[in-house]
Amino acid sequence: MKKRIIILCSLLFVLVLSACGASEVKEGHEQAADDKVWENIKETGKITVGTSGTLYPASYYPEGSDEISGYDVEVVKEIAKRLNLEVEFKTSDFNNMLASVQNGRVDLAANDIGITEERKEKFAYSEPYKYSYTTMIVRKDDLSGIESLSDLKGKKAGGEATTGYSKIAERLGAEVVAYGNTTNDVYLRDVDNGRTDLIINDYYLQSLALQAFPDFNITIHPDFKFDGSANAVIMSNDASELKKQVDKVLGEMKEDGTLTELSKKFFDGADVSKEPEEDIPSIDELVQQQEDEAK
């Protein structure tokens, strides 16, 4: 009996050691993956960044220039500079941008990318460097026939197929007219000429778009302001060391005023690096509010 107890205890001890060993091996693999991403960047001395090059003022080519610029672009350039790295931008539409992060074609992506719970399951985010909220561009003369959110049913909303903004439009019953990696003027002109009825997007981007195309019959709908947002650099989940380095530099840039300076340069004097002071309702709260008012 004593011998059997000793054998059982020995087996349990071996199992505990095996479990600990497996845990250590798993942790070691995860750490190795983390190190591999960052070590590769340090070895090459270069960081590759996915962006669109068509989203003013986040990522675009200034008229007459072949050098990409914009708020997000210049933030990343400064991050790279402080990490003693060169930076290479690879332009694509939003879907391919995220796919490139996942397959390692780029190290990170920066393109006015909102932080969402759904994306957190697949990607890692840096600390935010832009805060905003969602608004809706419509035709100026008749607000595209939209007086309440229920009026979006059957309307046509311009956007990229899988963005959060397009998902909001679909949820509210609009038909999404999908575009590829195209410039702002194409989206805006289509609302102006009636091919589409609205564009749901970021408030600051839409405000500057209106300034850029004053002859278009478009405006920001005065009654809809919702879903406060935070935007950040997006990376693969196995790039924790890269995230650590990026977060450290972003903290320094926020502290020394660099983010504020860049923001004011690209957003007509506004400081998007700080959260809005006003209380912005979520889309759920706004829908509920309109439903209550309709009763």
Side-chain angles (χ1 to χ4, degrees), residues 165-207:
Y165 299 120
S166 290
K167 289 179 180 178
I168 290 173
E170 289 176 336
R171 175 188 168 187
L172 296 174
E175 174 192 346
V176 172
V177 177
Y179 296 74
N181 193 32
T182 192
T183 52
N184 293 16
D185 62 302
V186 176
Y187 286 92
L188 299 170
R189 185 176 288 107
D190 280 352
V191 175
D192 173 60
N193 64 31
R195 181 173 182 261
T196 59
D197 301 298
L198 67 139
I199 303 167
I200 296 176
N201 211 297
D202 172 82
Y203 164 71
Y204 290 109
L205 268 60
Q206 295 199 327
S207 296

Side-chain angles (χ1 to χ4, degrees), residues 138-173:
V138 292
R139 280 183 291 282
K140 185 187 297 185
D141 58 2
D142 65 351
L143 300 183
S144 296
I146 300 171
E147 296 182 3
S148 68
L149 292 179
S150 61
D151 291 330
L152 265 71
K153 292 179 181 177
K155 299 293 185 182
K156 293 182 178 179
E160 288 198 51
T162 61
T163 64
Y165 299 120
S166 290
K167 289 179 180 178
I168 290 173
E170 289 176 336
R171 175 188 168 187
L172 296 174

Side-chain angles (χ1 to χ4, degrees), residues 37-292:
V37 174
W38 179 241
E39 287 299 326
N40 182 63
I41 291 171
K42 289 199 298 181
E43 184 178 338
T44 61
K46 180 174 70 175
I47 189 165
T48 56
V49 181
T51 194
S52 68
T54 59
L55 185 62
Y56 177 83
S59 169
Y60 68 101
Y61 288 91
E63 187 174 354
S65 174
D66 59 359
E67 183 176 349
I68 197 168
S69 187
Y71 178 61
D72 291 57
V73 168
E74 297 303 328
V75 167
V76 169
K77 285 181 181 178
E78 183 65 21
I79 291 171
K81 178 182 175 182
R82 297 190 186 201
L83 292 175
N84 297 313
L85 298 170
E86 294 180 11
V87 59
E88 178 186 359
F89 291 97
K90 296 185 177 181
T91 59
S92 69
D93 63 26
F94 189 71
N95 285 342
N96 285 325
M97 197 185 305
L98 296 189
S100 293
V101 173
Q102 287 184 306
N103 64 30
R105 184 171 176 267
V106 299
D107 300 309
L108 54 85
N111 196 70
D112 203 58
I113 301 174
I115 298 173
T116 68
E117 293 303 317
E118 182 180 356
R119 291 192 196 120
K120 278 183 178 180
E121 297 176 2
K122 301 177 182 178
F123 301 95
Y125 281 101
S126 70
E127 290 298 309
Y129 54 85
K130 178 184 174 229
Y131 296 91
S132 187
Y133 50 88
T134 302
T135 49
M136 183 190 307
I137 279 183
V138 292
R139 280 183 291 282
K140 185 187 297 185
D141 58 2
D142 65 351
L143 300 183
S144 296
I146 300 171
E147 296 182 3
S148 68
L149 292 179
S150 61
D151 291 330
L152 265 71
K153 292 179 181 177
K155 299 293 185 182
K156 293 182 178 179
E160 288 198 51
T162 61
T163 64
Y165 299 120
S166 290
K167 289 179 180 178
I168 290 173
E170 289 176 336
R171 175 188 168 187
L172 296 174
E175 174 192 346
V176 172
V177 177
Y179 296 74
N181 193 32
T182 192
T183 52
N184 293 16
D185 62 302
V186 176
Y187 286 92
L188 299 170
R189 185 176 288 107
D190 280 352
V191 175
D192 173 60
N193 64 31
R195 181 173 182 261
T196 59
D197 301 298
L198 67 139
I199 303 167
I200 296 176
N201 211 297
D202 172 82
Y203 164 71
Y204 290 109
L205 268 60
Q206 295 199 327
S207 296
L208 292 174
L210 294 184
Q211 292 180 31
F213 302 98
D215 294 333
F216 287 177
N217 176 35
I218 55 176
T219 189
I220 292 177
H221 201 296
D223 299 331
F224 304 124
K225 180 189 298 184
F226 55 93
D227 279 358
S229 60
N231 295 9
V233 166
I234 200 167
M235 297 160 275
S236 65
N237 272 327
D238 62 356
S240 61
E241 183 60 28
L242 174 59
K243 171 178 163 54
K244 179 180 175 182
Q245 297 292 331
V246 170
D247 284 345
K248 177 176 178 292
V249 172
L250 280 173
E252 294 169 355
M253 291 168 65
K254 191 167 189 176
E255 184 70 23
D256 65 24
T258 301
L259 287 181
T260 295
E261 182 180 342
L262 288 172
S263 172
K264 289 183 176 181
K265 175 182 177 181
F266 288 100
F267 290 97
D268 197 27
D271 188 358
V272 302
S273 70
K274 296 178 181 178
E275 295 186 62
E277 293 182 0
E278 61 183 308
D279 185 28
I280 306 295
S282 68
I283 184 62
D284 292 330
E285 291 169 332
L286 198 60
V287 168
Q288 186 61 53
Q289 177 185 333
Q290 293 218 338
E291 288 178 350
D292 292 342

